[in-house]
Amino acid sequence: MPRYIILIGLILSLSIASFSAGLVAAPNYSASQVEAQQAIETAQTTINDAFGQITQADLAGADISDLVSALNLAISDLDLARAAFSASEYASTTLLAESAQNAAEAVLNEAQTRVTVALTNSIIQVLLILVVILAVVVFTYLLITRWRKHKQQQTRTLLRMEIHLPREEERDE
Amino acid sequence: MSKHAKTVLTILMIGIVLSTSTLLISLWLLPPQEQTPTLSILDENQQANYPTSISQYSNITLYVEVENLMGVVQYFYIYVKLASPTTMASSNNPSSAPLIQEYQRIVLHGGSWLFSTQLNMTTLGINFRLTFELWRYDLATDTIDYTGIWVHLPLNVTVS
């Protein structure tokens, strides 16, 4: 038998063997399982993003207590989704994860709005403080000016005063 | 009043006004200083009477409380592990024991998170450390980081 036929046969056998091994080793995920896993990951990412916006709103001074409650409900839904995934209930997993994601998205949007409002309020607060500072400086300046004028007036009055010395006859008496 | 005295007085007044306003701005606008959170566990009656020994396959109910004193809202995770004296957690490293339960919650600054957990003890053995570790989601790095805070309950799981 020619040597090249043996070589081709060997290569073909090895290729088929490795392909079969690959098929056996690869995990056999169903489409719904992959979808469920992706839904969980997407929901977790959205929850993390919403938490980031809530933190921004908190730092900006906004009231975030209702947003935190709403996001905790989304986290609970995601916990249920993970439990369903562990029980191989992929359809419920996807539904629960999507519910968590929708809730987290609503929180994310509301938190963004509150960040904007809180920042605007902060700017107004700073402007008000600056106005108060300016008013205090102007008031102090006016007070000092008025006091100086008053002192000048007093000095002028003193200068205009006539000195009446007693006459010599009066002194003798 | 001399011109010199007037200048000094004006500068003094502006200084007082600016320092007061800076203090007010920092009090109103800046967040409070960061502190550490607290983690505690209580028994099923929310007392500190912890079981030291339980039967295999029986349930143990505990209450876990986390208090956020970190100055800003936090995303906390509690990892429950059944550790041994060799795989115990420390303030630098979490326990290397496998995770048996996980809980997560967002907690407002100054707020607390109290929840009950029921754990079924299937592994037989003595000198276990039922460990509760506090982790937090770090926004800057997008990772869940160990806070270095943990509590554990020494436990023997005996034959029922």
Side-chain angles (χ1 to χ4, degrees):
Chain A
M1 190 180 283
R3 198 177 280 175
Y4 71 93
I5 292 177
I6 296 170
L7 195 67
I8 289 168
L10 192 67
I11 290 166
L12 274 174
S13 311
L14 281 172
S15 306
I16 290 164
S18 64
F19 181 69
S20 312
L23 278 180
V24 171
N28 188 18
Y29 293 128
S30 67
S32 58
Q33 187 180 359
V34 174
E35 264 175 38
Q37 183 64 44
Q38 279 173 351
I40 286 175
E41 282 165 15
T42 311
Q44 185 63 68
T45 307
T46 313
I47 286 172
N48 292 350
D49 291 345
F51 171 69
Q53 277 304 314
I54 281 183
T55 308
Q56 292 300 315
D58 191 19
L59 290 170
D63 180 17
I64 53 157
S65 46
D66 58 328
L67 297 179
V68 167
S69 302
L71 197 55
N72 277 329
L73 288 176
I75 290 170
S76 300
D77 274 352
L78 192 58
D79 281 342
L80 292 174
R82 286 202 174 98
F85 188 83
S86 300
S88 307
E89 294 165 3
Y90 304 124
S92 347
T93 303
T94 309
L95 277 175
L96 285 162
E98 281 172 358
S99 161
Q101 195 199 336
N102 292 338
E105 264 172 15
V107 171
L108 179 71
N109 293 333
E110 181 57 30
Q112 277 170 342
T113 310
R114 289 196 195 176
V115 169
T116 314
V117 171
L119 286 176
T120 312
N121 286 343
S122 298
I123 291 166
I124 291 169
Q125 268 187 345
V126 170
L127 284 175
L128 272 173
I129 290 166
L130 288 174
V131 166
V132 168
I133 291 168
L134 194 70
V136 169
V137 169
V138 167
F139 179 73
T140 314
Y141 173 75
L142 288 174
L143 211 66
I144 290 168
T145 318
R146 199 175 171 80
W147 180 72
R148 280 189 67 216
K149 272 185 184 167
H150 176 70
K151 288 296 277 183
Q152 280 173 354
Q153 191 65 42
Q154 269 187 337
T155 315
R156 267 191 217 116
T157 313
L158 277 169
L159 287 170
R160 265 192 233 116
M161 275 181 182
E162 288 176 11
I163 301 165
H164 297 280
L165 292 171
R167 286 179 205 155
E168 277 185 21
E169 307 89 71
E170 285 169 358
R171 247 187 272 166
D172 293 340
E173 281 170 15
Chain B
M1 195 182 215
S2 71
K3 221 172 185 182
H4 181 69
K6 182 192 156 191
T7 315
V8 169
L9 189 68
T10 312
I11 290 167
L12 198 71
M13 289 299 292
I14 291 170
I16 290 166
V17 167
L18 283 177
S19 54
T20 313
S21 54
T22 310
L23 185 74
L24 288 174
I25 287 170
S26 63
L27 282 175
W28 287 346
L29 303 180
L30 297 180
Q33 275 197 321
E34 189 173 307
Q35 294 172 4
T36 49
T38 61
L39 169 67
S40 51
I41 51 170
L42 296 166
D43 68 357
E44 58 188 337
N45 301 314
Q46 297 195 39
Q47 305 283 317
N49 301 319
Y50 308 109
T52 52
S53 183
I54 63 158
S55 306
Q56 190 186 17
Y57 304 116
S58 65
N59 289 325
I60 178 168
T61 304
L62 292 167
Y63 279 86
V64 182
E65 187 169 25
V66 179
E67 203 176 352
N68 176 13
L69 303 169
M70 296 185 75
V72 71
V73 62
Q74 293 292 326
Y75 191 171
F76 286 125
Y77 285 75
I78 295 284
Y79 290 159
V80 188
K81 297 171 179 177
L82 191 62
S84 67
T86 52
T87 58
M88 272 170 52
S90 71
S91 53
N92 295 323
N93 294 304
S95 165
S96 55
L99 186 71
I100 52 173
Q101 278 280 13
E102 179 194 319
Y103 300 92
Q104 46 179 296
R105 181 62 62 99
I106 293 165
V107 186
L108 285 164
H109 165 66
S112 61
W113 168 33
L114 177 73
F115 66 96
S116 68
T117 175
Q118 198 173 51
L119 303 161
N120 188 261
M121 293 295 149
T122 52
T123 315
L124 200 65
I126 57 163
N127 276 335
F128 282 131
R129 301 284 188 271
L130 186 57
T131 307
F132 296 82
E133 293 170 353
L134 183 64
W135 293 60
R136 61 181 275 271
Y137 172 65
D138 188 344
L139 270 172
T141 56
D142 193 24
T143 52
I144 302 161
D145 296 341
Y146 178 50
T147 59
I149 295 167
W150 91 104
V151 285
H152 70 216
L153 189 66
L155 198 66
N156 295 329
V157 182
T158 56
V159 180
S160 51

